[in-house]
Amino acid sequence: MYNNFLDLESSEQGTFPVHVWPVPYQGTVSFGDGTKNGPEAILKASYQIEPYDPELDTDISRLCFFKTLPFHRVSAGGPGHLYQEMKDYLSNFDPGRDFFLTLGGEHSITYPLVDFYARKYPDLAVIQLDAHADLRPEFEGSPYSHACVMARIRDLGLKTVQMGIRSLDKGESLLISSSPEHILPLYPWDLPTPEQAASRVKKFIGTSPVYVSFDADGLDPSIMPGTGTPEPGGLSYGWVKDFWKALWPGPRLVGMDFCELSPLPGSVVSESVAVKSILKILATYFSRLRE
Ligand SMILES: [Mn+2]
């Protein structure tokens, strides 16, 4: 069993506390199977990844103090039940102080976390990397389905940046184009440079703190094949990495998740890319916080 993110002993830990929370929830996925195996695959792959980032010249094990929490297995029920259970668990924590790195599981894990942070930060902004807009009012009878997660976040009145979205219906497209105050889309067919994107994002969110929700399928399936609903034409690892470098120093990051990873038998590419994508966010943000 792989119980510690990056296999870190407590003796070699860093400054900024990060709760790593595995939530292997798979209740409403539409097509491909296996997001319930995402958290364990990410933890396992993390044992093979160097904590030192040569590009940023920073060592994540000296930067962050990772504490991996027990797997949160939802006993039964649909995504409404998941929301309640996650909400109850989070009520033991302080959104002003506790940084969660949540490992999904399907995308329905995000709403309880955003709800948690939004109680402390009513002006919270969400940066979503995803192939899907997830703006449906409800899906398969539930307003808490993975396909509705951004609609629920929009109901909270929060600003959202949607990066990499390329699979949506006409209704979602119209909702985005009629909501310029609330939604900033960065479509992959019209992608600015990472630097331009970061300056547009900063202008859009102002001084708001940020929550990052990273759906694996926001990346291109050539580098992230392990996802239930692969969509070609996604973001590249390099573009995303350079976006974070252009964003920070910048807005406060309060928490993040990585979801919808569905590991493929016989390959560790997807979970390794997932770990690197997570570490790049944390290393870029926390190393520049100290500057
Ligand atoms: Mn998605």
Side-chain angles (χ1 to χ4, degrees), residues 33-288:
D33 204 346
T35 53
K36 65 179 182 296
N37 302 319
E40 190 176 358
I42 289 173
L43 290 176
K44 187 175 177 184
S46 78
Y47 280 49
Q48 306 298 328
I49 304 285
E50 278 292 347
Y52 177 66
D53 183 320
E55 181 184 3
L56 300 171
D57 188 24
T58 189
D59 187 327
I60 196 78
S61 67
R62 289 162 192 261
L63 202 55
C64 295
F65 190 104
F66 294 103
K67 184 179 188 314
T68 307
L69 300 164
F71 276 53
H72 191 85
R73 300 188 192 279
V74 176
S75 42
H81 190 69
L82 170 82
Y83 168 66
Q84 196 55 50
E85 282 205 2
M86 287 181 72
K87 194 176 163 188
D88 291 348
Y89 184 80
L90 287 166
S91 67
N92 301 306
F93 293 88
D94 176 359
R97 206 190 58 208
D98 288 305
F99 188 106
F100 277 88
L101 159 61
T102 307
L103 308 175
E106 60 171 63
H107 213 158
S108 22
I109 62 148
T110 300
Y111 179 63
L113 288 149
V114 169
D115 187 40
F116 169 69
Y117 287 113
R119 282 167 203 270
K120 169 75 182 179
Y121 305 106
D123 63 335
L124 185 71
V126 177
I127 298 179
Q128 171 205 12
L129 295 87
D130 204 329
H132 309 93
D134 293 342
L135 281 166
R136 291 171 205 268
E138 62 118 60
F139 191 67
E140 292 176 345
S142 175
Y144 297 108
S145 157
H146 64 99
C148 318
V149 61
M150 300 315 294
R152 296 293 76 74
I153 287 168
R154 193 175 178 279
D155 291 346
L156 296 174
L158 307 183
K159 288 188 172 183
T160 304
V161 179
Q162 298 196 297
M163 302 193 347
I165 51 169
R166 55 201 184 279
S167 174
L168 57 166
D169 69 17
K170 183 73 181 169
E172 291 175 297
S173 179
L174 286 170
L175 182 61
I176 293 168
S177 56
S178 64
S179 315
E181 299 293 313
H182 282 101
I183 304 175
L184 172 64
L186 293 173
Y187 294 111
W189 56 85
D190 196 17
L191 205 59
T193 66
E195 293 75 21
Q196 289 167 339
S199 85
R200 278 171 64 182
V201 168
K202 286 181 185 180
K203 199 171 159 207
F204 177 69
I205 66 173
T207 55
S208 293
V210 160
Y211 179 89
V212 171
S213 182
F214 201 140
D215 182 320
D217 62 36
L219 293 170
D220 191 75
S222 58
I223 53 164
M224 180 52 78
T227 168
T229 43
E231 289 281 341
L235 300 169
S236 77
Y237 178 78
W239 189 94
V240 174
K241 161 183 87 65
D242 288 343
F243 171 77
W244 305 126
K245 279 173 74 179
L247 186 68
W248 292 307
R252 175 175 180 171
L253 180 66
V254 298
M256 66 168 290
D257 64 65
F258 194 98
C259 60
E260 298 280 350
L261 173 75
S262 181
L264 298 177
S267 167
V268 293
V269 171
S270 301
E271 44 268 49
S272 303
V273 171
V275 175
K276 296 290 281 194
S277 298
I278 291 165
L279 293 185
K280 201 51 107 167
I281 294 172
L282 299 176
T284 308
Y285 174 67
F286 285 113
S287 68
R288 291 170 177 202

